[in-house]
Amino acid sequence: MEPNTTTIESGLQTVKARIKEVAEKAGRQAESITLLAASKTNPHERLREAFDAGQTIFGENYLQEALVKIAALHDLPIEWHFIGPIQSNKTKRIAENFAWVHGVDRKKIADRLSKDRPESLPPLQICLQVNVSGEDSKSGVAPEEVSDLAAHVAGLPRLKLRGVMAIPELTKATALQRSQFQMLKAAYDELKRAGYELDTISMGMSEDLDIAIEEGATMVRVGTAIFGPRRYAIPEELAARQG
Ligand SMILES: *Cc1c(COP(=O)(O)O)cnc(C)c1O
């Protein structure tokens, strides 16, 4: 008996069933919503279990921690997404090791990612992170500056603009949360109207996945509902979190 396997497999099944149910109620196709497994703090063995249960897209937040897992799982055709804050001294290894980056909110970071993306790889797939809560502490470009940043990113040779991403305020006030998801959807629609070919609205986590899908999410980033509560007891990951 391997309780972890059972847990991750059933966690995935539960999340997929929930996506399907909410999508259908909202008149959407479940297939139009991609599930990204947000795997921070979970060791590579647990990601392998998720892969064996059918999950191929993983999102990581901390570069050092991610590099350990990417090396350990190099035998698997995983699509790696970087979903954490991007420090400018880390762009090279992010550009070399990930297929997607969700948190681009500054021209300088976009420039570096494009410059650092190896020619041997396809362009790096990019979502612009939008600050939909207006909190100063949150990363993300202000909604009124999204179109300027999009124009810049679209002009960079080694990046491919795919859409937008947000992390709304942590709140039990669902009306507030809904309005923040709507703000992200509006930013996406505006870019589409301006002529960008986009397909990704990255929003929704374990706690707010239902509202995000109702408001148009095409990619949900789910961690605890798949893997269970996060554990920080792994020394290499604790170290990674420091830097
Ligand atoms: C951790 C994380 C998630 C997943 O959060 P859960 O609440 O565990 O589902 C999604 N997006 C980002 C950016 C994260 O850091």
Side-chain angles (χ1 to χ4, degrees):
M1 169 92 182
E2 291 179 39
N4 280 350
T5 307
T6 314
T7 305
I8 291 172
E9 202 171 30
S10 63
L12 269 170
Q13 275 167 8
T14 305
V15 169
K16 284 184 197 164
R18 192 161 138 211
I19 291 171
K20 188 161 188 288
E21 189 190 327
V22 179
E24 282 171 3
K25 266 196 202 139
R28 302 186 57 198
Q29 305 275 346
E31 298 74 45
S32 68
I33 298 150
T34 301
L35 173 59
L36 174 153
S39 43
K40 60 177 177 274
T41 81
N42 287 282
H44 57 82
E45 292 86 352
R46 289 173 66 76
L47 277 67
R48 188 177 290 275
E49 287 171 18
F51 182 89
D52 289 343
Q55 182 63 30
T56 58
I57 302 177
F58 291 85
E60 287 283 335
N61 293 61
Y62 309 104
L63 181 66
Q64 301 303 330
E65 179 191 333
L67 292 177
V68 171
K69 298 180 206 181
I70 291 171
L73 301 172
H74 72 274
D75 57 314
L76 304 179
I78 287 174
E79 183 176 280
W80 292 101
H81 292 224
F82 192 81
I83 62 174
I86 309 157
Q87 292 161 305
S88 51
N89 62 345
K90 307 251 166 93
T91 53
K92 185 162 190 296
R93 278 170 306 160
I94 290 173
E96 287 170 349
N97 287 283
F98 289 82
W100 284 63
V101 177
H102 289 232
V104 173
D105 63 359
R106 280 177 289 159
K107 291 179 183 174
K108 179 185 155 202
I109 292 289
D111 290 342
R112 293 185 63 116
L113 287 170
S114 182
K115 178 175 71 63
D116 290 338
R117 181 65 166 175
E119 286 293 335
S120 58
L121 296 174
L124 191 56
Q125 311 297 300
I126 300 293
C127 288
L128 304 180
Q129 184 171 354
V130 182
N131 183 346
V132 291
S133 69
E135 296 166 284
D136 287 345
S137 58
K138 277 279 170 72
S139 29
V141 61
E144 59 275 16
E145 288 162 15
V146 175
S147 80
D148 185 44
L149 181 60
H152 187 80
V153 168
L156 292 170
R158 302 295 298 137
L159 304 185
K160 170 82 179 107
L161 183 60
R162 295 294 291 270
V164 291
M165 176 269 208
I167 308 171
E169 209 169 321
L170 253 184
T171 169
K172 295 266 180 246
T174 56
L176 177 62
Q177 226 164 29
R178 192 179 293 281
S179 74
Q180 295 182 359
F181 287 134
Q182 287 167 347
M183 212 184 287
L184 188 66
K185 173 70 160 59
Y188 174 85
D189 289 342
E190 196 177 317
L191 293 177
K192 293 268 280 193
R193 272 196 301 277
Y196 296 102
E197 283 180 30
L198 309 177
D199 59 11
T200 304
I201 306 175
S202 166
M203 63 185 188
M205 322 200 317
S206 296
E207 291 296 325
D208 54 18
L209 161 62
D210 304 34
I211 306 175
I213 291 172
E214 287 164 10
E215 297 304 333
T218 69
M219 191 177 290
V220 291
R221 309 177 308 266
V222 181
T224 44
I226 296 172
F227 295 105
R230 279 187 276 281
R231 305 167 303 171
Y232 292 96
I234 301 144
E236 78 196 2
E237 292 176 353
L238 271 176
R241 286 176 57 76
Q242 315 303 322

